[in-house]
Amino acid sequence: MKIKQSLPFVAFIAFSLLSFNALAQATLRGTVVDNTTNEPIPSAVVRVDGRSATGTTDMEGKFRIDNLAPGLVNVRIESFGYEAYTAFEVQLTRAKPAELQVRLKESAQQLQEVEITAQSQFQRVDQSPVSVQSIGINEIRRNPGANQDISKVIQSLPGVASGGAAFRNDLVIRGGGPNENIFFLDGIEIPAINHFATQGASGGPVGMINVNFIRDVDFYTSAFPVQRGGSLSSVMELNLRDGSEEKVNGIFQVGASEVGLTLDGPLSKKTTYLASVRRSYLQYLFGVIGLPFLPTYNDYQIKIKHKFNRKNQITFLSLGAYDVSVLNLERNETEDQRYILNYLPSYNQWNYSIGAKYTHFGRFGATNVVLSRFMLDNQSEKYANNDVNGDLLLNYGSQEIANKLRVEQPWKLKNWEGLVGFGAEQLKYNTNTFDKRFPGGFVLDYTTEAVYYRGSMFANAVGKFADGRLKLSLGLRTDFGDFNENTQNPLDQLSPRAALSYNLTENWTLDANVGRYFQLPPFTALGYVGVDGDNSSLRYIQADHYVLGSTRFLPWNAKASVEGFYKAYQYYPLLLRDSISLATLGGDFGVIGNQLATPTSTGRAYGAEFTYQQKLFKGWFGIAAVTLVRSEFADFLGTYVPSSWDNRMIATFTFGKKFGKNWEFGGQYQHLGGAPYTPFDLERTANIQNWNVFGRGLPDYSRLNSERFGEFDRLNLRIDKKWFLEKWNLDLYFDVQNALAYQLEGPKFIDVLRDDNGNPVVDPNNPTQYLTKFLDNTQGIVQPGLGIIVDF
């Protein structure tokens, strides 16, 4: 009876907490400074779209607007003599002020009044006027099916193919392989951004980057900034926010596979921090549903920024992960479970990146001095029949270490501006490799301890003509190292590039780029030493890009663009044992590239992209991207065949709508053309010697990529409900991946027949082979997820 009487009171308290919306209002504050000198801009006008309230910056460039209703808004900043800037999708809450750090660029004509055009709503990179997409933090957080994983969010952009039904984070850009990408956090290189990373490539199943650190992302698929070397397909610039200067804030989050905590705040009057830790609980979920392997991942991320004064600051950054995957030997009841247990090794992998960036703002812009260190430790092991007292099939251990220095110095001269700089690197690769999982009795058994030194020099110039309507960007870079005589001469890796953008009208541009880019082969290939030889003949891989496009900026916060591209590859490692190009590998777990190779593989990728991006406008937002692409690499005989990334058509439509009372709905439809694959060689697979060490189907590389997967379609949905309370915010979301339950039929797996004791059955008509059978290979399941985000 007492319980029943208390229910109305409890309901009243709950209703009061979640209906606190009318009792407090939100605050928007920030700072507006000159992009070049970092000097404050006084009297800049700050407008909140759809609201009557406005603000003006003081002599320190600071502004504050109070009594705003919570919600998602666009904020425009305007100042005489500067280009207008729009901050899209700023989240206003009652729990803490929304903070903006705005850097305004001088307009082409210093004394002109502010003119708001459709183009001015979008920030453009002068050095790279083509093949660049920018997305903000709210676009990342609410992306349907991405589970706030930046690598999955990027897969919704033009030119990017996803891993299909395999649900991996491989970034396949314009027909290039997953090893052709490079990543930067606040200008500091981060080689590993995925848990359980494929060594020799960049993909993995789960991203490491905590999106609560991110302010926005610039994603380049060509016209790479000259100071960003080592990429053939893409450069991802993740720009991080700063910690709060006033009080400690936090975000506690429970998602579909992990739990995490993020804190930020002041360490002193001039120092702020951001810090987070995350841990997965996949091992418990996998155990419950009966999977024969149990992965666990952990990561941390920290950023500390100290401002000595207005002209000098330093940023410290670190990111690391520890990943373990063990076999769940108790789950061997079904033939699918036994098949996986038969070949899958156990993994133990950790990595960290740590770096410091010192920035000095001078009369020409920001001088940057960047020091960084990366280390990866990768271990894996496999015994025959998973018996530690039995035959050892695999004992692999390796470390990659990179210590890097980079200096960037800006300059200006009349209507030209740019930067010059240099880099120096020490690279280490150690491995102890024992691997007998090869046909024909071949065994890898070698040790490598290698140290390489590498340098770079670069310069860029951007000129503006015809009252700013024409922009011309010229760049030159060279990379060189002591790996061998092919890499020592800087002239052999000379990387010229040119890009231009011409305004046909104030909101319509014609853009083009041509450039040559180089990337060193992965450590796994450089450090190979086997009984069949070493890879001392390898050299930098070369890719020549040609891009032509046009963009139309629309007055409703949108832009539409079309681009055509062509990439020509040279000097890719040709793997001699399998007679295939390294460019076709990288979409699976483990290690790639550790075999004898020559720098003789060539390739090409070409196609067209169509993009429509809608920033927040009257509650609507989204991006539509359609890519037509062909990707081909020469086989051992020099004949061009489709690469593993030749999807031919990629289409992604991501959309969303804000409704009243802080409800949001989002959807994403993805279509992925059927990628090529190499069929299995049944006869070699069934060979007793081969099966006992390899334990699954052997590819028939004489029929390289001669078959194709079916086309794959996927619908992801997400619903968010947010409450903005006085001291904290609550976001509950429900996310469904593959809501249409579409399934992709892959090539059937080959397994051996077993007797009642679980032993393979020998073919009575051929004593050198086992009897075999086929297992279905169906990918694609409905994946619902419920998430809770508490922001305080």
Side-chain angles (χ1 to χ4, degrees):
M1 186 67 179
K2 290 181 180 181
I3 294 177
K4 291 182 179 180
Q5 288 177 342
S6 68
L7 287 177
F9 176 74
V10 173
F12 172 77
I13 295 297
F15 179 80
S16 299
L17 287 172
L18 296 181
S19 302
F20 211 75
N21 296 6
L23 301 182
Q25 294 297 307
T27 294
L28 173 66
R29 69 186 184 202
T31 305
V32 182
V33 299
D34 184 287
N35 183 63
T36 299
T37 66
N38 207 44
E39 290 293 332
I41 300 177
S43 302
V45 178
V46 183
R47 307 179 190 276
V48 181
D49 282 358
R51 313 288 177 91
S52 59
T54 62
T56 304
T57 57
D58 60 18
M59 296 303 295
E60 294 296 314
K62 296 181 179 180
F63 67 89
R64 182 185 179 102
I65 306 175
D66 295 312
N67 299 318
L68 296 169
L72 205 59
V73 298
N74 298 332
V75 180
R76 278 201 321 242
I77 299 92
E78 307 161 10
S79 183
F80 189 76
Y82 289 88
E83 297 178 5
Y85 172 80
T86 300
F88 289 103
E89 302 191 28
V90 178
Q91 183 69 71
L92 301 177
T93 75
R94 296 184 173 91
K96 55 187 178 183
E99 298 190 23
L100 289 178
Q101 306 297 322
V102 179
R103 311 187 67 85
L104 294 185
K105 297 180 179 179
E106 292 182 351
S107 60
Q109 295 176 315
Q110 295 263 328
L111 298 180
Q112 73 177 15
E113 293 190 16
V114 176
E115 180 183 3
I116 303 299
T117 65
Q119 183 175 175
S120 69
Q121 306 281 55
F122 289 84
Q123 291 291 297
R124 306 195 78 200
V125 182
D126 290 340
Q127 188 182 162
S128 308
V130 69
S131 302
V132 183
Q133 300 291 333
S134 297
I135 54 176
I137 178 58
N138 281 295
E139 294 173 279
I140 296 169
R141 282 176 172 163
R142 63 162 179 257
N143 190 277
N147 196 28
Q148 301 196 53
D149 189 328
I150 184 62
S151 296
K152 287 185 170 64
V153 174
I154 292 298
Q155 292 172 3
S156 64
L157 297 181
V160 186
S162 69
F167 300 105
R168 279 176 54 90
N169 282 356
D170 302 302
L171 293 180
V172 177
I173 314 298
R174 290 181 169 179
N179 62 313
E180 298 179 11
N181 312 302
I182 195 169
F183 314 95
F184 292 85
L185 291 182
D186 271 358
I188 299 173
E189 185 178 347
I190 307 294
I193 67 166
N194 286 301
H195 292 284
F196 301 104
T198 301
Q199 193 173 1
S202 63
V206 183
M208 289 169 51
I209 306 295
N210 183 348
V211 299
N212 294 317
F213 278 53
I214 297 175
R215 184 181 73 245
D216 53 49
V217 176
D218 296 320
F219 187 64
Y220 302 78
T221 53
S222 190
F224 306 138
V226 73
Q227 66 271 31
R228 303 293 187 246
S231 172
L232 302 178
S233 279
S234 80
V235 174
M236 188 191 298
E237 294 269 11
L238 298 111
N239 307 305
L240 307 184
R241 65 184 179 91
D242 294 338
S244 173
E245 296 179 349
E246 296 196 359
K247 71 182 187 73
V248 175
N249 302 305
I251 299 175
F252 176 73
Q253 185 167 341
V254 179
S257 60
E258 65 193 24
V259 58
L261 176 66
T262 303
L263 297 174
D264 73 276
L267 289 176
S268 68
K269 187 176 180 179
K270 296 184 177 181
T271 308
T272 61
Y273 76 93
L274 280 163
S276 75
V277 290
R278 297 190 302 179
R279 179 175 173 83
S280 75
Y281 44 81
L282 279 178
Q283 67 274 26
Y284 306 114
L285 297 178
F286 281 26
V288 170
I289 64 178
L291 291 179
F293 56 97
L294 303 175
T296 304
Y297 63 85
N298 311 266
D299 62 52
Y300 77 89
Q301 193 169 333
I302 187 168
K303 173 184 176 179
I304 297 175
K305 186 172 184 177
H306 178 75
K307 298 179 181 178
F308 298 100
N309 49 48
R310 187 171 294 282
K311 295 294 186 180
N312 298 277
Q313 62 188 34
I314 190 168
T315 298
F316 297 96
L317 189 70
S318 185
L319 171 71
Y322 177 61
D323 309 323
V324 177
S325 180
V326 298
L327 299 181
N328 188 7
L329 298 178
E330 296 179 356
R331 292 293 188 172
N332 62 354
E333 299 91 356
T334 69
E335 58 183 9
D336 289 332
Q337 291 172 334
R338 291 190 291 268
Y339 174 78
I340 294 174
L341 287 172
N342 190 54
Y343 75 83
L344 189 68
S346 58
Y347 294 98
N348 188 322
Q349 184 181 104
W350 57 262
N351 72 79
Y352 70 82
S353 296
I354 186 170
K357 181 176 73 171
Y358 169 75
T359 301
H360 170 73
F361 293 96
R363 53 187 294 222
F364 299 137
T367 299
N368 292 312
V369 180
V370 182
L371 282 169
S372 65
R373 176 181 172 87
F374 167 74
M375 184 171 182
L376 167 73
D377 186 280
N378 192 20
Q379 311 283 333
S380 57
E381 189 177 67
K382 183 67 179 179
Y383 288 89
N385 301 316
N386 299 311
D387 180 3
V388 295
N389 296 316
D391 187 16
L392 179 65
L393 302 179
L394 170 69
N395 186 10
Y396 177 82
S398 74
Q399 291 185 334
E400 298 181 7
I401 303 171
N403 300 305
K404 300 188 177 185
L405 165 69
R406 189 177 74 252
V407 178
E408 304 166 357
Q409 173 63 47
W411 61 270
K412 284 188 177 183
L413 181 64
K414 295 183 179 180
N415 61 330
W416 289 88
E417 63 182 16
L419 61 83
V420 296
F422 67 89
E425 303 176 12
Q426 181 197 54
L427 309 174
K428 298 182 180 180
Y429 176 66
N430 308 315
T431 185
N432 288 294
T433 298
F434 175 81
D435 191 350
K436 60 189 298 184
R437 300 170 305 160
F438 298 99
F442 183 83
V443 177
L444 274 182
D445 188 2
Y446 68 96
T447 298
T448 297
E449 294 185 3
V451 179
Y452 313 118
Y453 292 91
R454 185 168 63 173
S456 62
M457 296 182 290
F458 48 85
N460 173 258
V462 178
K464 299 180 181 180
F465 309 94
D467 294 329
R469 295 182 63 182
L470 175 64
K471 296 178 182 178
L472 176 64
S473 175
L474 302 174
L476 187 64
R477 179 187 175 93
T478 183
D479 294 88
F480 47 91
D482 67 347
F483 177 66
N484 59 32
E485 61 181 14
N486 293 330
T487 64
Q488 292 174 0
N489 188 346
L491 297 179
D492 290 338
Q493 287 79 235
L494 209 57
S495 176
R497 61 201 71 184
L500 65 84
S501 177
Y502 181 72
N503 275 67
L504 301 172
T505 67
E506 64 179 10
N507 294 316
W508 186 12
T509 67
L510 180 66
D511 312 300
N513 168 70
V514 58
R516 173 166 291 177
Y517 309 101
F518 287 94
Q519 176 181 307
L520 200 65
F523 284 122
T524 51
L526 293 175
Y528 176 80
V529 180
V531 294
D532 50 353
D534 61 34
N535 285 340
S536 58
S537 66
L538 293 184
R539 59 187 302 168
Y540 280 85
I541 307 169
Q542 176 182 315
D544 294 339
H545 289 206
Y546 307 89
V547 182
L548 179 65
S550 182
T551 301
R552 184 66 183 262
F553 299 89
L554 305 168
W556 48 87
N557 298 345
K559 67 174 183 177
S561 64
V562 58
E563 288 186 12
F565 61 89
Y566 186 93
K567 296 193 292 186
Y569 292 93
Q570 293 188 66
Y571 311 127
Y572 236 112
L574 180 68
L575 307 178
L576 299 182
R577 188 189 318 136
D578 297 327
S579 300
I580 61 173
S581 174
L582 178 63
T584 65
L585 302 178
D588 203 353
F589 297 98
V591 180
I592 65 168
N594 55 342
Q595 58 175 284
L596 191 65
T598 59
T600 54
S601 177
T602 59
R604 62 196 178 200
Y606 52 92
E609 297 172 355
F610 307 88
T611 309
Y612 177 86
Q613 185 176 17
Q614 177 66 65
K615 295 288 189 177
L616 180 64
F617 184 77
K618 295 184 178 181
W620 289 95
F621 45 82
I623 184 169
V626 177
T627 304
L628 306 176
V629 61
R630 296 298 301 267
S631 176
E632 303 166 327
F633 277 82
D635 63 11
F636 189 70
L637 299 177
T639 304
Y640 279 94
V641 297
S643 79
S644 302
W645 328 116
D646 184 53
N647 291 100
R648 298 192 175 179
M649 180 176 179
I650 309 160
T652 305
F653 304 93
T654 306
F655 59 91
K657 178 70 170 69
K658 284 174 70 254
F659 295 95
K661 298 184 179 181
N662 301 311
W663 285 89
E664 287 186 16
F665 172 78
Q668 183 183 80
Y669 179 80
Q670 296 176 310
H671 172 84
L672 195 64
Y677 70 88
T678 301
F680 293 126
D681 186 327
L682 180 59
E683 183 175 353
R684 286 204 311 154
T685 299
N687 178 272
I688 291 177
Q689 183 183 33
N690 292 344
W691 181 267
N692 286 344
V693 295
F694 197 67
R696 56 174 171 167
L698 286 166
D700 182 359
Y701 287 120
S702 67
R703 296 186 290 161
L704 177 66
N705 287 338
S706 59
E707 304 289 340
R708 284 186 180 269
F709 289 95
E711 296 183 343
F712 182 72
D713 294 89
R714 179 165 56 201
L715 177 66
N716 303 322
L717 301 174
R718 175 167 169 150
I719 299 175
D720 285 73
K721 168 59 178 172
K722 299 177 181 179
W723 290 270
F724 302 110
L725 310 179
E726 185 177 16
K727 299 295 184 182
W728 54 288
N729 308 312
L730 176 64
D731 181 1
L732 298 180
Y733 66 87
F734 179 67
D735 186 283
V736 181
Q737 298 182 44
N738 194 26
L740 298 179
Y742 187 88
Q743 292 188 326
L744 178 65
E745 293 292 335
K748 292 183 180 296
F749 295 126
I750 300 176
D751 198 3
V752 295
L753 289 175
R754 298 180 183 272
D755 59 23
D756 293 339
N757 296 320
N759 298 315
V761 177
V762 177
D763 186 346
N765 298 317
N766 187 346
T768 65
Q769 290 192 319
Y770 289 130
L771 292 176
T772 59
K773 61 180 177 179
F774 294 97
L775 303 179
D776 288 337
N777 178 15
T778 303
Q779 304 177 48
I781 60 174
V782 178
Q783 288 185 292
L786 182 66
I788 302 172
I789 303 174
V790 180
D791 192 349
F792 56 92

